[in-house]
Amino acid sequence: MFTTEKVVSILRACGLVIADQRRLERRPGRYLPVPSGLHPRLAALLQERYPKGLYAHQARGIEAALAGHSVCLSTATASGKSLVFMAAAADLLLRDPAACVVAFYPARALIQDQMRKWRELLQPLGLRWGYIDGGVGMRERLRVVQEHRLLLMTPDVTHAWLLPNLTEPPVRSFLDRLAIVILDEAHVYDGVFGSNFAFFMRRLRAVSGVRQCISSTATLGDPEAFIATLTGFTPVVLGAESDGAPAA
């Protein structure tokens, strides 16, 4: 184990001058009960998995989403942000047998990485999901859209394939019933990529029934303004001051 003293001795042995030292104090977790407004089956699953309750920002984020607000989670890395949008999606799918959700990930690798988390939450509830990225063949895409109410997608495929196929009945039906857009790793949508995504979101809103956006990021300086500009939705922001996750 590397103690502070050992790190300092190594640095000095390398001839490096330490200009300053800061100590980040340990922070215990802050918990709140699983929101009572969740669908009973989902609430029971979360209470079983998290007997101490949810982190404060998770509980408040879910409550805001259940109230119909768009939400931006801007808390530390590994603070459990994904549970908020996954719970909001699962709650909607359980309550409304027609509603649809799309979760955008900026890269194919992120979709593959996050599927385990979606599976762990959705499978016990009997909910299904599908994904469409550049690796899914053209012939398969319509079937995936037709058979699933939750889609994990990359923005480029949605822009290049989904929107140009509005006359296809499965696509038209999915977009008409689309209620929630999830945007993970929102901070990567900057520069030209961000401008293109902002225009894409306006087109998506124009041809769908989406009414809510739930986003997550760990590195935005002004998340409310950024998300509002990017998506057109002004979110309830849960930032560092709301972070209930413990820190060593």
Side-chain angles (χ1 to χ4, degrees), residues 40 56 58 77 85 89 92 117 149 155 159 169 184 195 207 209 238:
Q58 292 176 322
T77 300
F85 58 70
L92 175 67
K117 292 182 180 180
R149 293 192 295 131
H159 163 72
D184 198 11
S195 298
V207 298
L238 294 163

Side-chain angles (χ1 to χ4, degrees), residues 163 166 172 174-179 181 201-211 233:
L163 294 187
L166 295 177
R172 183 69 268 165
F174 182 88
L175 291 176
D176 285 344
R177 295 177 293 133
L178 180 62
V181 165
M201 277 296 299
R202 272 61 175 187
R203 292 193 293 273
L204 179 64
R205 294 186 67 181
V207 298
S208 73
V210 62
R211 56 181 183 265
F233 291 97

Side-chain angles (χ1 to χ4, degrees), residues 75-86:
T75 55
T77 300
S79 59
K81 295 186 289 292
S82 59
L83 180 64
V84 176
F85 58 70
M86 290 180 180

Side-chain angles (χ1 to χ4, degrees), residues 2-3 10 16 25 43 47 66 69 77 83 97 102 104 118 130 138 144 156 161 163 176 183 204-205 222 237:
F2 279 87
T3 63
I10 292 173
L16 297 174
E25 296 296 335
Q47 286 164 357
L66 294 180
H69 298 293
T77 300
L83 180 64
V102 62
F104 289 127
W118 283 104
M138 295 290 184
V144 174
D156 57 335
W161 176 79
L163 294 187
D176 285 344
L183 186 58
L204 179 64
R205 294 186 67 181
D222 187 354
V237 176

Side-chain angles (χ1 to χ4, degrees), residues 8-72:
V8 168
S9 68
I10 292 173
L11 293 173
R12 286 176 174 161
C14 293
L16 297 174
V17 177
I18 299 172
D20 190 19
Q21 293 186 49
R22 303 284 179 97
R23 179 180 178 87
L24 303 180
E25 296 296 335
R26 177 182 178 274
R27 183 184 69 214
R30 292 185 290 115
Y31 300 88
L32 289 174
V34 172
S36 59
L38 283 171
H39 188 281
R41 288 172 56 200
L42 176 57
L45 178 64
L46 294 180
Q47 286 164 357
E48 178 184 348
R49 291 185 177 179
Y50 307 101
K52 294 172 64 176
L54 304 181
Y55 295 144
H57 65 280
Q58 292 176 322
R60 289 176 179 142
I62 291 172
E63 288 171 348
L66 294 180
H69 298 293
S70 291
V71 180
C72 176

Side-chain angles (χ1 to χ4, degrees), residues 166-226:
L166 295 177
T167 57
E168 294 287 351
V171 173
R172 183 69 268 165
S173 176
F174 182 88
L175 291 176
D176 285 344
R177 295 177 293 133
L178 180 62
I180 294 177
V181 165
I182 292 167
L183 186 58
D184 198 11
E185 303 290 339
H187 52 274
V188 306
Y189 296 96
D190 61 356
V192 174
F193 186 30
S195 298
N196 287 335
F197 186 84
F199 288 126
F200 158 76
M201 277 296 299
R202 272 61 175 187
R203 292 193 293 273
L204 179 64
R205 294 186 67 181
V207 298
S208 73
V210 62
R211 56 181 183 265
Q212 197 173 7
C213 176
I214 304 176
S215 56
S216 70
T217 177
T219 56
L220 285 179
D222 187 354
E224 181 178 354
F226 182 89

